[in-house]
Amino acid sequence: MKKTFCSLFSAASLLVSSAAIAAETSLDATTILRIERRSVSGSSTQDIMPATQFLNLDVNKLGDGNLSLHLSGWGRVDLADKSYNTDRADGNLTYGYLQYRFTHANADIRAGRLFVHEGIVNEHVDGLALRTDLPLGFGISAFGGATVHTRHLWGQTSDGKGDGIVGGRINYRHEGLLEIGVSAVGESKAPLLANYASPVQAPPNGDIRSNHRLAGGDIWFSPYRFMEIIGHSSYNIETHKMAEHAYLLNLKPLQQLVLSGEFNEYRDRSYLYAWSLFSGSALNPADRSRSVGGIASYDFNKTVGLTADYRHYTRQLGNADRYGADLRLSFLNNRVRSGLGYHYLRAGQNFAIASNTSASYHSLRAYALHDTKTYFAAVDAIDYIFKNKVYDEKHAWEGTLSLGYHLTPALALSGDISYGRNPEFTEDLRGLLRLTYNMNFDGKGGK
Amino acid sequence: MNLVRPLFPILALIGLFFMLAACARMQAITSQPVSHPQALTIGQQADCSECHQDQQKGTLKPLEAFTHTPAFVKNHRFYAQSNDQLCSSCHKTSFCSDCHTNRVEMKPSLKYGNRPDRDLPHRGDFMTLHKIEGKVDPASCYRCHGRGNNDRCVACHQGARYL
């Protein structure tokens, strides 16, 4: 804990001093004070008041103008009862890296704690990542370093992940029509996990390893402007089986209409192999999961948009369907934004909670927000209606009201209050105070 | 083996020549802009095709493919798999790490309770719902909570059982 805070403080100090001499600095800071009363059946009432500081810092145009620093993290202190079953204080460095972007070939080098998204690779690494385009439409990227660990698994001395990780991607692009890529990731040997059930692969002492080693390919293909196919397939080097196929077909026959079809198939054991939380490697190699669905989205004009979606799930447990629609409205030059949504999940007994005979539920949502140069306000209501009562509750609903004031264009103070009832909490009452400072530059921000 | 040893310096020289030639040609490949030249409207789903029709350069994808329709937002993982450099021209890294991170302090929908228009995961009582959704589509859990961001999952899920 102390180590995390020290790292965060040292990194922040270094970056703030660098920021002082930088040409372009952007700081986003959000301070949140939560006030909650938790009333759980059979337990005493808890009053919690955690104060959390989120900090994002981007320092651009350092050195010759191509160097930048990026930092993000948070820290929390509990001012009343513990908000979570760890220490009264907690914190995390989400990312902190130095990036050099070359003026040619989209080449860049990043060093530090960073995220890598390359083809089938989605990793969080303390290390180095390099990327460049090459002549004739080719491109290459590589990364390596130490794995970013999370909390130890219960009863274990690790999080089930290896300590080192390496990977990369090679791709080829052709004239804005096609991109294909081959990528791979390999993590060093995962630690032994004691007492993990593993009917398939358990060695005599009952311990298993869930090594994370994947290879695969990805594609983007757009033979016509109104059509694109995107997707990837991955192969688990440990199980010697395909892990995932995920493909998306987008059709845009009209400017305002998007039709989207998606196909996903997983071999459960190979895809979830490195999921130590659930002994992914203990799954039956024959088990497959599949989801097939589609989205149709139509913008009537700049102020009204309608989206309908359907998805069918197939698992060894059975099958399920989800369908629904969302209506989006915006007025007054986008200062008023609102939405209505309805979805229904049809799922049978095998997906149900406890001894229920059905897992089906309706989901209803309505929201509206108004943002002006001075004040802003939002209201949000969501209700899940279960076909079979869950722990004797038919509904899980929550309403949130938020009010805020822009003290300056960059600084805003806001407060939320929410109340709900659900199967987990007989009453769920929360209050939240939020002080936000957003300093944007060059149009970045996107929030 | 005897033949390879004398050939090695020649092969290395040829390799070096091709590498230098490739590097020289790379000077001709311009990089994408680091950031979008204009500020984009907050809360408005960006329509790249308003300005970027038929403007892709070299081997780049048509930028209108990245128009942020509701379908794009729901399926953004497909685009991020090979275009995160383009994402970063408008979005700071922290925009992604609001949801995709190794340890999240609070639900994104709670952190951004004043922005119900944002498409954020697990709104409402997801504590109850996850017992259903985790069985319907475990892959959707794994994408975000499999290798990281499972700090709170560990409290109950201890590996010895499955879904």
Side-chain angles (χ1 to χ4, degrees):
Chain A
M1 186 55 241
K2 279 180 184 169
K3 202 176 164 185
T4 308
F5 270 127
C6 283
S7 313
L8 201 59
F9 182 75
S10 310
S13 306
L14 267 172
L15 293 179
V16 167
S17 56
S18 306
I21 53 165
E24 231 176 43
T25 304
S26 171
L27 175 73
D28 295 343
T30 304
T31 310
I32 290 180
L33 177 67
R34 284 185 288 159
I35 305 149
E36 296 180 16
R37 170 162 285 181
R38 288 178 184 169
S39 171
V40 184
S41 303
S43 301
S44 58
T45 302
Q46 272 188 312
D47 289 315
I48 66 160
M49 200 183 294
T52 310
Q53 179 65 51
F54 296 90
L55 183 72
N56 307 317
L57 185 65
D58 297 274
V59 187
N60 282 6
K61 297 189 176 173
L62 289 166
D64 64 355
N66 298 317
L67 187 67
S68 59
L69 278 162
H70 307 273
L71 169 85
S72 178
W74 57 265
R76 186 200 73 222
V77 178
D78 285 329
L79 304 176
D81 291 336
K82 281 185 184 176
S83 61
Y84 183 56
N85 57 348
T86 55
D87 299 330
R88 280 189 174 280
D90 203 354
N92 187 244
L93 176 66
T94 306
Y95 60 81
Y97 61 90
L98 195 65
Q99 180 176 31
Y100 190 87
R101 287 186 70 157
F102 293 82
T103 51
H104 297 283
N106 292 309
D108 71 28
I109 300 172
R110 293 181 295 155
R113 174 166 292 189
L114 45 94
F115 294 96
V116 179
H117 308 290
E118 293 285 353
I120 62 150
V121 178
N122 288 295
E123 300 297 338
H124 198 193
V125 183
D126 284 329
L128 194 68
L130 308 99
R131 171 171 45 195
T132 185
D133 287 349
L134 296 170
L136 305 173
F138 289 94
I140 190 166
S141 69
F143 70 95
T147 311
V148 177
H149 287 287
T150 52
R151 192 168 294 277
H152 289 176
L153 296 162
W154 185 85
Q156 307 288 336
T157 54
S158 80
D159 62 352
K161 297 201 282 190
D163 289 329
I165 192 162
V166 68
R169 176 172 179 260
I170 296 170
N171 68 284
Y172 171 73
R173 283 177 178 171
H174 180 71
E175 292 181 356
L177 295 174
L178 171 74
E179 176 173 356
I180 49 172
V182 179
S183 49
V185 58
E187 195 173 85
S188 59
K189 199 172 265 188
L192 284 169
L193 298 173
N195 307 319
Y196 266 44
S198 180
V200 176
Q201 208 197 27
N205 62 3
D207 292 337
I208 60 163
R209 290 179 194 270
S210 300
N211 296 329
H212 177 53
R213 287 161 195 174
L214 296 169
D218 58 271
I219 186 168
W220 175 85
F221 179 50
S222 179
Y224 307 101
R225 277 297 172 88
F226 66 86
M227 176 186 177
E228 64 177 351
I229 297 165
I230 321 173
H232 56 263
S233 293
S234 63
Y235 176 82
N236 192 319
I237 296 164
E238 290 289 301
T239 62
H240 305 289
K241 292 252 184 339
M242 292 305 295
E244 178 192 21
H245 299 290
Y247 290 88
L248 178 73
L249 169 68
N250 274 337
L251 297 171
K252 210 171 178 181
L254 302 169
Q255 181 68 21
Q256 304 84 358
L257 178 67
V258 178
L259 301 170
S260 185
E262 191 180 341
F263 172 84
N264 298 285
E265 187 178 85
Y266 313 93
R267 282 180 185 263
D268 291 358
R269 181 166 178 255
S270 295
Y271 185 67
L272 308 174
Y273 191 74
W275 199 2
S276 305
L277 291 178
F278 291 107
S279 289
S281 59
L283 295 172
N284 187 334
D287 284 0
R288 288 182 195 220
S289 299
R290 186 179 296 151
S291 71
V292 181
I295 299 173
S297 166
Y298 187 78
D299 288 332
F300 292 93
N301 48 48
K302 285 248 175 197
T303 62
V304 183
L306 183 67
T307 304
D309 58 86
Y310 169 77
R311 185 174 288 234
H312 179 74
Y313 304 89
T314 310
R315 298 204 65 210
Q316 303 305 125
L317 290 170
N319 59 62
D321 297 282
R322 189 195 312 271
Y323 49 85
D326 293 291
L327 177 70
R328 287 170 296 106
L329 304 164
S330 68
F331 308 103
L332 300 177
N333 200 23
N334 207 40
R335 292 199 175 281
V336 175
R337 306 192 281 278
S338 63
L340 285 169
Y342 168 78
H343 282 85
Y344 180 67
L345 176 76
R346 182 210 59 80
Q349 188 170 16
N350 287 339
F351 301 106
I353 297 172
S355 57
N356 282 358
T357 54
S358 169
S360 301
Y361 69 86
H362 304 267
S363 156
L364 292 158
R365 182 166 180 245
Y367 71 85
L369 79 88
H370 187 202
D371 193 358
T372 70
K373 283 183 178 171
T374 51
Y375 81 93
F376 51 96
V379 61
D380 190 4
I382 191 161
D383 188 10
Y384 300 112
I385 307 163
F386 302 106
K387 188 175 178 186
N388 286 171
K389 284 184 176 179
V390 176
Y391 309 140
D392 218 27
E393 288 284 341
K394 182 78 175 167
H395 294 260
W397 65 269
E398 185 181 287
T400 305
L401 176 68
S402 178
L403 285 170
Y405 190 79
H406 292 291
L407 300 168
T408 71
L411 186 67
L413 179 67
S414 58
D416 302 351
I417 186 156
S418 70
Y419 179 80
R421 294 180 72 92
N422 56 62
E424 292 289 329
F425 297 106
T426 49
E427 282 188 302
D428 196 2
L429 176 64
R430 299 163 194 246
L432 183 149
L433 279 174
R434 182 189 300 107
L435 184 67
T436 311
Y437 181 75
N438 280 333
M439 188 163 82
N440 287 336
F441 63 90
D442 276 357
K444 276 201 185 184
K447 293 178 182 178
Chain B
M1 191 64 199
N2 287 340
L3 191 67
V4 170
R5 192 166 286 174
L7 278 178
F8 183 76
I10 298 165
L11 290 172
L13 206 64
I14 292 169
L16 189 67
F17 173 78
F18 275 107
M19 212 168 81
L20 286 171
C23 287
R25 288 198 62 175
M26 280 165 69
Q27 291 288 322
I29 307 170
T30 53
S31 288
Q32 294 171 40
V34 173
S35 57
H36 196 272
Q38 288 178 319
L40 300 171
T41 312
I42 291 172
Q44 180 80 56
Q45 295 198 321
D47 183 359
C48 306
S49 64
E50 274 184 3
C51 304
H52 291 289
Q53 282 179 332
D54 301 322
Q55 284 190 14
Q56 88 269 17
K57 291 175 184 171
T59 59
L60 291 181
K61 295 170 188 173
L63 291 169
E64 60 183 296
F66 297 90
T67 293
H68 287 17
T69 62
F72 177 95
V73 175
K74 281 192 193 302
N75 296 314
H76 68 273
R77 68 188 174 107
F78 287 101
Y79 296 88
Q81 74 184 14
S82 60
N83 301 285
D84 66 343
Q85 220 172 32
L86 185 65
C87 303
S88 73
S89 63
C90 293
H91 296 289
K92 296 176 181 175
T93 310
S94 59
F95 180 73
C96 309
S97 67
D98 279 339
C99 299
H100 304 285
T101 184
N102 63 326
R103 286 183 67 199
V104 65
E105 161 61 3
M106 65 182 76
K107 279 201 305 185
S109 57
L110 190 60
K111 185 179 174 187
Y112 294 103
N114 57 339
R115 291 293 308 276
D117 58 321
R118 283 188 67 178
D119 203 353
L120 299 172
H122 306 344
R123 289 190 185 273
D125 177 30
F126 199 76
M127 186 64 84
T128 300
L129 289 193
H130 91 280
K131 296 170 188 174
I132 296 169
E133 296 293 344
K135 283 182 266 194
V136 171
D137 189 10
S140 67
C141 306
Y142 179 78
R143 275 185 220 123
C144 294
H145 301 288
R147 304 274 305 152
N149 199 7
N150 51 24
D151 198 16
R152 306 207 170 207
C153 314
V154 172
C156 300
H157 299 289
Q158 296 155 14
R161 59 184 180 274
Y162 178 67
L163 302 176

